[in-house]
Amino acid sequence: MTRRLLRLGTVLSLFMALALGGGTGTASADPAGSLWFDNTALTASAAGFTDGYGRETVLRGYNVSGETKLAENDGLPFASVADAQKSANAVRALGGGNAVRFLLSWAYAEPVRGTVDTTYLAAATAQMKVFLDAGIRVYPDFHQDLFSKYLFNTGSWYTGDGAPKWVVDAGDYPDEYCGICLFWGQNITQNAAVTESTYDFWHNTGGIQDNFLTTAQTTMTYIAQHLTTSEFTSVAGFDPYNEPHWGILDSGETSRTWEQNKLWPFYNKFRARMDAAGWTAKPAFVEPNLFWNNNLSSQKQEGGLLDAGTLAPRYVFNTHFYDAAAICGICMWGNASDGQYAGDFGTVRDRATAAGTAAILSEFGHPLNGSTSGKAPTILKAMYMAMDSRVKGADWWTSPSGSGAVLSGTQWQWDIYNDRHNELMNDNPDKLLTENDAWNDEDLSAVYLDDSGNAVLRLDTRVLDRVYPSATAGHTLAFTYEDRSRDGSTTLTWNPVPSSLPNVSTLVGSGQYGLLVWRSTGISAPTELHLPSSFATAATTVVSDLGTVTGPSAYTTSTAIGVAAEPGGTGSRRLLFTAPANTGTLHYALVANPSSTPTAAVRAAAQTELAAWAASKF
């Protein structure tokens, strides 16, 4: 019954998309026919990601999913294509995502040395197709944590994922033991079985790295051959290796020289395999040493691919960020606050700029269970705000020109099986895991399935489903979004409209709002902002140099401001702004979900205020 209802919902969503003038999801320069449903290839440069129209593009979404780390569904993100469809619909409709990092397992891809399991590749590709057909960009990731689950004994407190059993069998590693380890990540540096096997991978001991690269090439070739041309075009790139660390340094080696002499050559080899597999036009999403941008000084290590030179267009600077101090508990008292991560995420922006390429946070998040879970609402809000702008909310209206690029990111994680697992930890029949993420006591999934089988968010929808500029026809100068998300019963307002803009403040009231400022570069395609589900179309108010409106109409070639369906038929929406294809014109667009319906006079007065403000700040 649940699946029949879901199919009915999909049909209704498709009908809504057609009613708004939706197209098939293919890229076209005809906005009336396709509404700019863009599946053009992405290019990485110092300006960030750009699409086939030359628009700056922001990727936002989730990791799907930690289920790949588990044995219960044979290393696949989902038990079935139907579950993948359910998840993809929810990523769009509930989570506001336009991209996912799609996890794959080396252990299941190459269970026997030298033999790639095409049954596994076929199942993974079929699940991947569902996301691509929902208009969601995908970048696959051969995931690993603690190198391999086969390092761990059946009674261990911890487990890993990644390398196949034959790799571990060939290594003759010591019995795993972590000593006094309160967190699973301590195994990375304290467990000799993990450090020695990781060392062997980077040194290609016994040719194991060569095997991995060959399997990766076979996998990429299979994906390219079994997706349609349109689907494959929407694949953004490939993440070669999750959270790289050296395991053991050679004599005289440092974290920086390890990146230079071990990690970067590996990425060059992986890049060559991408080319051989038909992925030449797609970038590798390469990660530095995982402790490079740690916010605990005791764990921070030099890195960031400092010696790799200019990365674009062949590579994207890809890093993770978790608030280690907050997860530690005693290392950070209290909740996160406005601007908490502006410096950390500013470092990511600066490193990508120095490397001449786009940046993405392929993982970020915070536990939703345990002693520090109460910090999650403020931490997630602070992280998303730091991705939107490097200026904290309280200072944004005064200093918007310091905003910087809007960062792309995929939150960890999106696991529809949260609290519904059936995992034998380390294949131990006496250790059946059903709760949380069923992996090392983690619980970070933003979603779960209720008793009716429907996807339900575990976090405030206002912090997850956000206004963001998915495509900007020009250069982004500044962006901010005040989500008014909740911490319990408290509404978190970190970026109030200042009293110096009384009509803008009156228009917004206590509602959510986003503001994008950009300068045109002669692109004829429209600027697009994702419209969250909490913004009813009839109530959505836009104030822009291109006009003002409450309740924007369906987008057509004759409308400067209009609403249209997001691709994929999930019922989610976006706003489109069409400006003359001039170069150098300053544009702004305030998108509000006001607490009361503003009059045309208030909109006009707010437009006058915003025009003067923008002219004075840029």
Side-chain angles (χ1 to χ4, degrees):
M1 181 64 178
T2 299
R3 289 182 178 174
R4 288 199 296 271
L5 289 172
L6 284 169
R7 292 191 192 103
L8 176 60
T10 300
V11 171
L12 290 173
S13 295
L14 286 167
F15 175 79
M16 290 172 63
L18 291 172
L20 287 170
T24 63
T26 57
S28 168
D30 174 15
S34 71
L35 290 179
W36 304 93
F37 281 2
D38 175 38
N39 73 332
T40 60
L42 292 183
T43 301
S45 71
F49 292 107
T50 55
D51 66 13
Y53 304 116
R55 298 180 296 183
E56 292 182 359
T57 300
V58 174
L59 304 180
R60 289 286 175 90
Y62 305 88
N63 283 260
V64 291
S65 75
E67 176 69 16
T68 302
K69 302 181 183 185
L70 308 182
E72 62 184 1
N73 284 322
D74 297 325
L76 291 166
F78 303 100
S80 64
V81 170
D83 279 1
Q85 183 71 66
K86 181 184 295 187
S87 189
N89 290 347
V91 163
R92 268 290 197 193
L94 299 180
N98 68 354
V100 294
R101 182 174 182 240
F102 191 95
L103 274 60
L104 298 170
S105 169
W106 180 19
Y108 285 90
E110 191 188 4
V112 176
R113 185 166 196 172
T115 302
V116 175
D117 187 346
T118 55
T119 300
Y120 174 78
L121 298 187
T125 304
Q127 294 181 10
M128 195 182 300
K129 285 169 71 75
V130 167
F131 286 85
L132 294 165
D133 293 342
I136 298 171
R137 293 188 185 271
V138 169
Y139 63 106
D141 154 50
F142 262 119
H143 207 79
Q144 74 80 36
D145 297 279
L146 309 184
F147 193 70
S148 175
K149 93 169 194 176
Y150 298 105
L151 292 170
F152 294 84
N153 63 65
T154 57
S156 178
W157 290 0
Y158 300 107
T159 190
D161 67 284
K165 185 175 186 296
W166 61 261
V167 174
V168 174
D169 289 344
D172 191 26
Y173 299 116
D175 291 340
E176 60 89 9
Y177 177 69
C178 194
I180 303 175
C181 287
L182 301 178
F183 304 99
W184 71 261
Q186 292 175 265
N187 285 270
I188 296 169
T189 57
Q190 294 178 221
N191 189 326
V194 174
T195 59
E196 290 185 22
S197 56
T198 301
Y199 176 91
D200 281 353
F201 180 83
W202 297 118
H203 288 75
N204 196 25
T205 303
I208 59 175
Q209 188 182 112
D210 291 338
N211 271 95
F212 174 83
L213 290 167
T214 298
T215 298
Q217 180 179 335
T218 302
T219 299
M220 289 185 284
T221 300
Y222 188 96
I223 291 170
Q225 292 177 345
H226 290 81
L227 296 177
T228 66
T229 300
S230 177
E231 289 166 343
F232 186 56
T233 300
S234 292
V235 175
F238 207 109
D239 185 342
Y241 198 89
N242 179 68
E243 296 184 350
H245 190 260
W246 53 74
I248 301 170
L249 290 174
D250 286 325
S251 178
E253 198 170 38
T254 66
S255 57
R256 179 169 178 170
T257 59
W258 173 81
E259 280 195 348
Q260 182 180 14
N261 299 325
K262 302 293 194 309
L263 183 61
W264 187 244
F266 166 75
Y267 286 149
N268 282 329
K269 293 175 185 176
F270 195 97
R271 175 70 263 182
R273 300 299 184 121
M274 292 179 70
D275 295 345
W279 291 56
T280 305
K282 301 181 186 298
F285 286 52
V286 293
E287 301 183 33
N289 167 19
L290 82 145
F291 292 121
W292 161 73
N293 199 26
N294 196 292
N295 69 340
L296 281 179
S297 58
S298 61
Q299 294 183 355
K300 196 175 184 70
Q301 296 168 350
E302 186 180 25
L305 304 177
L306 293 171
D307 302 293
T310 300
L311 300 184
R314 306 268 284 165
Y315 302 94
V316 167
F317 187 73
N318 166 23
T319 188
H320 297 177
F321 185 83
Y322 294 94
D323 188 338
I327 294 172
C328 163
I330 61 173
C331 306
M332 184 190 103
W333 299 109
N335 291 335
S337 58
D338 178 24
Q340 184 96 10
Y341 307 111
D344 298 301
F345 289 14
T347 300
V348 174
R349 288 178 170 91
D350 292 342
R351 183 66 204 110
T353 298
T357 194
I360 189 168
L361 289 167
S362 60
E363 285 189 29
F364 63 95
H366 190 77
L368 302 183
N369 196 6
S371 61
T372 71
S373 60
K375 302 175 187 289
T378 56
I379 286 175
L380 266 296
K381 179 180 175 75
M383 286 183 174
Y384 273 110
M385 287 188 70
M387 292 168 67
D388 290 342
S389 171
R390 67 190 303 161
V391 178
K392 72 177 186 178
D395 297 337
W396 191 88
W397 286 94
T398 303
S399 306
S401 61
S403 277
V406 180
L407 280 177
S408 294
T410 47
Q411 184 178 331
W412 186 272
Q413 66 161 326
W414 191 271
D415 175 17
I416 61 172
Y417 306 115
N418 179 270
D419 260 352
R420 295 178 179 275
H421 291 284
N422 189 38
E423 177 72 4
L424 300 180
M425 183 176 179
N426 297 318
D427 300 322
N428 186 341
D430 296 324
K431 297 187 75 172
L432 175 64
L433 305 182
T434 61
E435 297 179 346
N436 304 328
D437 296 341
W439 195 85
N440 285 336
D441 292 325
E442 283 200 343
D443 186 16
L444 284 89
S445 178
V447 71
Y448 77 107
L449 297 180
D450 66 15
D451 290 341
S452 299
N454 300 312
V456 179
L457 293 181
R458 300 176 65 217
L459 288 158
D460 188 344
T461 184
R462 286 162 288 224
V463 80
L464 295 179
D465 188 10
R466 309 173 64 80
V467 173
Y468 62 91
S470 52
T472 302
H475 178 56
T476 302
L477 299 177
F479 175 71
T480 190
Y481 180 54
E482 177 48 78
D483 55 47
R484 313 277 191 183
S485 57
R486 311 299 201 263
D487 180 10
S489 60
T490 301
T491 299
L492 302 172
T493 301
W494 292 351
N495 190 358
V497 179
S499 59
S500 58
L501 299 168
N503 288 288
V504 177
S505 180
T506 296
L507 184 148
V508 169
S510 60
Q512 303 148 291
Y513 77 88
L515 177 56
L516 174 68
V517 183
W518 73 101
R519 196 174 297 281
S520 62
T521 54
I523 298 170
S524 59
T527 290
E528 301 185 17
L529 285 88
H530 172 69
L531 195 61
S533 60
S534 57
F535 283 59
T537 300
T540 297
T541 295
V542 179
V543 177
S544 171
D545 64 291
L546 302 172
T548 76
V549 63
T550 294
S553 59
Y555 178 79
T556 68
T557 53
S558 61
T559 54
I561 303 168
V563 66
E566 295 275 20
T570 60
S572 55
R573 300 151 300 139
R574 59 203 162 122
L575 284 169
L576 293 89
F577 298 84
T578 300
N582 300 325
T583 298
T585 303
L586 184 68
H587 298 290
Y588 62 87
L590 174 76
V591 180
N593 185 19
S595 49
S596 60
T597 304
T599 64
V602 169
R603 293 202 310 265
Q607 183 184 45
T608 299
E609 288 179 354
L610 284 173
W613 170 83
S616 70
K617 299 298 182 182
F618 300 96

